[in-house]
Amino acid sequence: MATWIPDPSFYPSPRMAMQAPPERLAYVAMLNTDTISRPDALGVVDVDPGSSGYGRIISRLDMPNAGDELHHFGWNACSSALCPYAPHPHVERRYLIVPGLRSSRIHIVDTKADPAHPKIVKVIEPEQLAARANYSRPHTLHCGPEGIYVSALGNGGGNGGGPGGVFLIDHETFDVLGQWEIDRGPQFLSYDVWWHLGQDTMITSEWGTPDMIEDGLNPELLLGAKYGRRVHFWDLHRRRHRQTIDLGPEYQLALELRPAHDPTKAHGFMNAVVNLKDLSSSIWLWHRDGGQWAMRKVIDIPAEPADPDQLPPILKGFKAVPPLVTDIDLSLDDRWLYVSCWGTGEMQRYDVSDPFRPKLTGSVRLGGIVGRSRHPSAEGDLNGGPQMVEVSRDGKRVYFTNSLYRSWDEQFYPEGIKSWMVKLDASPEGGLSIDERFFLRFDDGFRGHQIRLEGGDASSDSYCYP
């Protein structure tokens, strides 16, 4: 696994990574909704516009067991291995680490011999994870200078409760090293994890414990403001909790974290899925304020009035469709923020050159609870909406899928999501346009979720040089 020169897909800075060659392949987590008979899979999609297979799945790697609920995944190593203090500077970006969010099983997938036909080389069983780290339900995964950091929603006790947290995996042996936190302070709920390497700060967000989410969004818990609404700031190297920012009880489901890629910048963005007062979604900016971290809301996206007859039971009483911002992504130049509105079926693009004053510059509608907006190359209305979004390293291509999480899909799209993946072209001026050649319809029974691009993408790598 060790090499004498750094992996060519590693770049010291985001500026240099933007000059990387375009991706040819995309890897997509595919949830199988028929969990009894078929396992989930990792799909390999041809994203080379010069290929005859452009926009199609060219291979599928089935998992060895049914019922994993593949969700988020990531690389074993990335550009953070070039940090001056990295103890493993010669690791390769070779393995995809693919957790099952429901099973707590973690698959190690080798892409080197044939990137279009990856193979599973190791499986970490849930008992090993619980014994080593006392966690379950692994979620977000990031390659860091010291190893692979993974957030987990639940404890290892098998009771569906918390606390969730972060654990480390060795990125050469893939042994679970253990719980990352030395002192977790008041942190209990868990969801996303990322960091500012230049600020020696880790950041975590909150969703809920497994028993709060696995059977669907619980209206009683939601209206009681029991879901996650706090953001936690940690001393990255001392592994100790330092600060909590509470958005307020009306803001529920504080999810995705997207720090600036430039390590000299100390700001980033987070989405709050729903405001209990008006069903709006919001984007929050964290930034330094003196010696502390601070947050402020910088984008409000309102709910849209709707005929109750067009709404699923969970929304009929509100007479409105919420935007349900469930994913965001930040381009490598830290200029463009992409916002997935899963409920209204809209992908928005903001110019965040001034992070305190974002400007909406582009929008595309596909699917949606009410809109069902069509793709020019697909037959009929679309359901589901823009969800997991990924941006190419050069910032020119935007990919997304339309499924959130199985039990939540069925609440907001009770007819059953017909899953698809699309690609948009991002213009330098701020616009978005649909690539009419790229519409991938997943086979019935499968739903696409997170996308990882060959060689890295806008949410895979961290950098130590500006």
Side-chain angles (χ1 to χ4, degrees):
M1 182 171 168
T3 61
W4 292 107
I5 58 174
D7 186 303
S9 73
F10 295 171
Y11 292 88
S13 71
R15 289 184 299 109
M16 296 179 70
M18 291 186 71
Q19 301 167 25
E23 65 283 355
R24 298 166 302 166
L25 299 173
Y27 300 95
V28 184
M30 295 168 56
L31 165 70
N32 173 23
T33 56
D34 181 6
T35 58
I36 296 176
S37 60
R38 292 193 297 177
D40 296 352
L42 186 70
V44 183
V45 179
D46 185 338
V47 295
D48 178 356
S51 167
S52 59
Y54 180 58
R56 300 178 191 168
I57 293 178
I58 55 177
S59 75
R60 194 182 84 198
L61 175 65
D62 289 341
M63 299 296 109
N65 299 278
D68 285 317
E69 183 122 20
L70 300 190
H71 198 68
H72 290 199
F73 64 108
W75 294 100
N76 67 305
C78 62
S79 300
S80 62
L82 300 182
C83 289
Y85 54 85
H88 305 286
H90 298 299
V91 293
E92 295 176 274
R93 187 198 307 268
R94 171 173 176 173
Y95 300 96
L96 285 166
I97 316 302
V98 186
L101 181 56
R102 192 170 292 263
S103 69
S104 302
R105 192 177 289 115
I106 303 173
H107 311 86
I108 313 301
V109 177
D110 190 354
T111 68
K112 184 172 183 178
D114 184 353
H117 297 85
K119 298 183 181 304
I120 295 173
V121 295
K122 181 175 180 176
V123 177
I124 302 171
E125 296 293 342
E127 297 80 10
Q128 296 172 271
L129 173 58
R132 288 269 187 142
N134 194 27
Y135 283 135
S136 65
R137 279 71 165 196
H139 190 271
T140 302
L141 187 149
H142 282 297
C143 35
E146 299 91 352
I148 304 164
Y149 289 68
V150 189
S151 67
L153 303 186
N155 65 40
N159 57 12
V166 177
F167 63 94
L168 261 75
I169 300 176
D170 185 282
H171 51 195
E172 292 183 293
T173 65
F174 305 113
D175 291 331
V176 175
L177 298 177
Q179 175 183 310
W180 175 80
E181 302 90 353
I182 297 294
D183 173 6
R184 70 169 67 251
Q187 180 269 329
F188 186 80
L189 300 180
S190 177
Y191 179 74
D192 205 2
V193 56
W194 215 349
W195 44 58
H196 286 290
L197 294 178
Q199 308 293 321
D200 201 18
T201 297
M202 174 181 278
I203 306 163
T204 63
S205 59
E206 297 183 344
W207 184 11
T209 52
D211 56 4
M212 296 170 66
I213 65 161
E214 290 187 339
D215 293 331
L217 178 65
N218 184 321
E220 185 176 337
L221 293 178
L222 179 69
L223 296 176
K226 301 298 184 185
Y227 285 101
R229 65 177 200 244
R230 300 176 181 87
V231 180
H232 302 273
F233 296 84
W234 307 74
D235 185 317
L236 180 57
H237 279 90
R238 295 181 181 276
R239 300 159 58 189
R240 296 177 186 279
H241 187 276
R242 285 289 179 255
Q243 185 182 349
T244 297
I245 294 180
D246 189 332
L247 305 183
E250 67 269 35
Y251 296 101
Q252 289 286 283
L253 306 166
L255 297 185
E256 308 292 339
L257 302 167
R258 298 291 180 262
H261 299 284
D262 181 340
T264 67
K265 297 178 179 175
H267 73 262
F269 300 91
M270 189 215 68
N271 63 300
V273 176
V274 64
N275 183 324
L276 297 179
K277 293 182 177 177
D278 57 10
L279 297 188
S280 63
S281 291
S282 52
I283 304 295
W284 294 68
L285 172 76
W286 72 76
H287 61 96
R288 296 294 287 179
D289 184 8
Q292 293 287 304
W293 292 95
M295 293 189 75
R296 70 163 66 174
K297 187 168 61 174
V298 293
I299 299 173
D300 252 327
I301 302 174
E304 298 177 356
D307 183 338
D309 291 341
Q310 295 180 292
L311 296 172
I314 195 169
L315 293 174
K316 282 187 183 298
F318 296 100
K319 300 179 181 180
V321 57
L324 297 177
V325 171
T326 48
D327 195 22
I328 58 175
D329 205 4
L330 182 64
S331 61
L332 283 190
D333 58 5
D334 295 326
R335 179 176 179 187
W336 305 105
L337 184 71
Y338 295 86
V339 178
S340 293
C341 303
W342 187 60
T344 47
E346 184 178 17
M347 175 62 69
Q348 297 185 344
R349 186 187 190 194
Y350 290 85
D351 183 341
V352 290
S353 300
D354 179 349
F356 290 90
R357 298 172 183 78
K359 298 177 181 177
L360 179 65
T361 63
S363 169
V364 163
R365 287 193 179 245
L366 289 171
I369 293 171
V370 172
R372 309 290 166 134
S373 302
R374 298 187 176 193
H375 188 282
S377 299
E379 293 185 5
D381 297 344
L382 300 183
N383 76 356
Q387 215 285 115
M388 292 305 298
V389 54
E390 196 49 76
V391 180
S392 62
R393 287 174 292 184
D394 60 12
K396 297 178 180 178
R397 295 166 298 284
V398 181
Y399 304 88
F400 57 89
T401 57
N402 68 329
S403 169
L404 174 61
Y405 182 64
R406 178 178 179 172
S407 55
W408 294 43
D409 286 350
E410 291 161 3
Q411 289 177 293
F412 291 96
Y413 293 91
E415 73 278 19
I417 281 183
K418 299 289 187 183
S419 191
W420 40 265
M421 172 179 169
V422 299
K423 183 203 135 197
L424 306 181
D425 294 314
S427 76
E429 294 76 26
L432 284 174
S433 59
I434 296 172
D435 179 350
E436 297 188 12
R437 294 180 58 208
F438 195 113
F439 180 81
L440 192 164
R441 174 78 80 181
F442 291 93
D443 292 342
D444 286 346
F446 282 106
R447 295 178 189 169
H449 195 65
Q450 188 167 37
I451 301 162
R452 284 285 172 221
L453 302 180
E454 178 190 28
D457 47 58
S459 70
S460 63
D461 287 38
S462 303
Y463 305 90
C464 276
Y465 302 91

